[in-house]
Amino acid sequence: MSALTATPARACTRLVYLGPNGDVITARTMDWKSDMATNLWVFPRGMERTGETGPGTLRWTSRYGSVIASGYDIATTDGMNEKGLVANVLWLVESEYPKHAGRKPGLAISLWAQYVLDNFATVAEAVAALRKEPFTLVTDKVPGEDRLATMHLSMSDASGDSAIVEYIGGKQVIHHGRQYQVMTNSPIFDEQLALNAYWKQIGGTVMLPGTNRSSDRFARASFYIDAIPKDEDPVVALASVFSVIRNVSVPYGITTPDQPNISSTRWRTVADHKRRLYFFESALTPNTFWVKLDDLDFSKETGQVARLDLGPDQRNVFAGNVAAKFVPAELFKFMGVSPGG
């Protein structure tokens, strides 16, 4: 574990806005030390999936279409499905997954978020299924690096429900409820809640922690997501959420020598569950653009896998609704885990 904490790691923030008239907006940052070769993808219903863990792997057929942001074009890191369910994976160095002994079907960590988006319309559905532990989550090394991918998963839906899923000491731990609006990285979620309780006693209008550390970002996100006005105008609500997620972003290019798990924010997503809009904002382009899911063909019969090429470092510039700019493409290969690996 000490070897892992001495290595630069992903350090992201996720938050959920609960507004009037059923407005729910989820935002996240992707903080990483180098280009993750992220692109946006459209997946239709009816896709045959495997858990990519060799013989006895998990298998399923996607019930729902989704729009996702890939990592290295080998994993789903973030996305929203056609029912308004959002899934995000963030780094958690304390993660420890159960040993894959073959007693249950395996699921590669690269597919964890996609499994949720493919199969469930609500957080409650997903939590009910995950509590039964129908698979063993199997991790592998980060591409090009000598360390394991250690992630935790957040989910939110159009009703405002949320859940955080972690693996601590080889055991699955689920926090389920509307109150779990914020997730960052270390320490584990229970400890984050305890730290945040301290800052709530002080009061955010008096003082808030201002560093890039995970616990400080958690405190700021928790305060601001509740402090911003709950405006009935969706444009204003989206602007407010963008302002909060930018506030907890890590400045581009910054290095923090004594905090090796902090990395620059490379991109942000904001998902409007009610209107089924998926916004993307790169740190290296001047424009924010979005995908209107209602304009996509998710049908099994005519829907196609399609990609929006964001370019190196996500520097390709787009504006407005880009639903029509996706190009049919061959599905990327999800990173698998060899048996016994």
Side-chain angles (χ1 to χ4, degrees), residues 1 4-5 9-13 90-95 150 152 166 168 183-193 195 212-219 259 261-262:
M1 190 66 69
L4 284 172
T5 55
R10 190 174 303 179
C12 314
T13 304
L90 281 69
W91 194 265
L92 180 68
V93 73
E94 292 88 350
S95 300
T150 50
H152 53 171
E166 298 180 337
I168 308 300
M183 183 173 88
T184 54
N185 313 106
S186 300
I188 63 175
F189 195 67
D190 276 329
E191 294 176 20
Q192 289 280 23
L193 294 174
L195 287 168
N212 295 325
R213 292 183 306 174
S214 175
S215 56
D216 288 4
R217 288 183 279 111
F218 191 105
Q259 295 289 329
N261 289 322
I262 294 175

Side-chain angles (χ1 to χ4, degrees), residues 193-208:
L193 294 174
L195 287 168
N196 195 51
Y198 164 78
W199 287 107
K200 283 186 175 180
Q201 290 178 345
I202 294 176
T205 58
V206 176
M207 181 173 63
L208 279 172

Side-chain angles (χ1 to χ4, degrees), residues 3 20 49 66 77 97 140 167 179 231 253:
R49 307 274 199 195
S66 58
T77 65
Y97 307 104
D140 203 351
Y167 282 86
Q179 70 271 34
D231 204 290

Side-chain angles (χ1 to χ4, degrees), residues 11 16 44 94 97 123 161 170 172 176 210 226 231 238 252 255 286:
V16 181
E94 292 88 350
Y97 307 104
V123 170
D161 197 9
Q172 180 181 250
H176 179 206
D226 286 332
D231 204 290
L238 282 164
Y252 193 82
T255 57

Side-chain angles (χ1 to χ4, degrees), residues 129-321:
L130 294 178
R131 286 198 191 281
K132 297 176 183 177
E133 300 192 56
F135 55 79
T136 299
L137 193 64
V138 186
T139 190
D140 203 351
K141 291 181 180 179
V142 176
E145 302 183 33
D146 191 26
R147 57 173 172 150
L148 293 176
T150 50
M151 317 295 292
H152 53 171
L153 171 74
S154 64
M155 299 177 286
S156 49
D157 66 24
S159 76
D161 197 9
S162 279
I164 310 297
V165 186
E166 298 180 337
Y167 282 86
I168 308 300
K171 303 293 186 182
Q172 180 181 250
V173 179
I174 299 178
H175 299 264
H176 179 206
R178 288 173 62 90
Q179 70 271 34
Y180 301 122
Q181 294 171 253
V182 175
M183 183 173 88
T184 54
N185 313 106
S186 300
I188 63 175
F189 195 67
D190 276 329
E191 294 176 20
Q192 289 280 23
L193 294 174
L195 287 168
N196 195 51
Y198 164 78
W199 287 107
K200 283 186 175 180
Q201 290 178 345
I202 294 176
T205 58
V206 176
M207 181 173 63
L208 279 172
T211 79
N212 295 325
R213 292 183 306 174
S214 175
S215 56
D216 288 4
R217 288 183 279 111
F218 191 105
R220 292 204 307 279
S222 296
F223 172 75
Y224 284 122
I225 201 60
D226 286 332
I228 56 176
K230 303 301 185 286
D231 204 290
E232 294 189 3
D233 183 340
V235 173
V236 175
L238 282 164
S240 295
V241 173
F242 265 107
S243 69
V244 177
I245 200 64
R246 289 166 180 154
N247 177 279
V248 294
S249 295
V250 180
Y252 193 82
I254 197 170
T255 57
T256 311
D258 62 337
Q259 295 289 329
N261 289 322
I262 294 175
S263 301
S264 300
T265 296
R266 306 193 72 85
W267 49 259
R268 289 170 283 267
T269 60
V270 173
D272 184 328
H273 298 254
K274 184 177 180 179
R275 283 161 282 275
R276 290 183 295 279
L277 302 174
Y278 187 70
F279 293 82
F280 190 92
E281 181 177 70
S282 170
L284 293 178
T285 61
N287 289 358
T288 299
F289 61 90
W290 62 91
V291 183
K292 186 176 181 181
L293 271 67
D294 290 349
D295 290 347
L296 298 173
D297 182 3
F298 290 118
S299 69
K300 178 180 179 179
E301 294 74 22
T302 58
Q304 294 180 286
V305 174
R307 182 180 73 154
L308 185 70
D309 183 358
L310 301 183
D313 291 303
Q314 299 75 61
R315 294 178 73 153
N316 289 351
V317 177
F318 300 95
N321 177 16

Side-chain angles (χ1 to χ4, degrees), residues 317-339:
V317 177
F318 300 95
N321 177 16
V322 298
K325 295 186 180 296
F326 281 81
V327 176
E330 182 178 351
L331 174 63
F332 63 80
K333 175 72 172 174
F334 281 92
M335 182 179 71
V337 182
S338 60

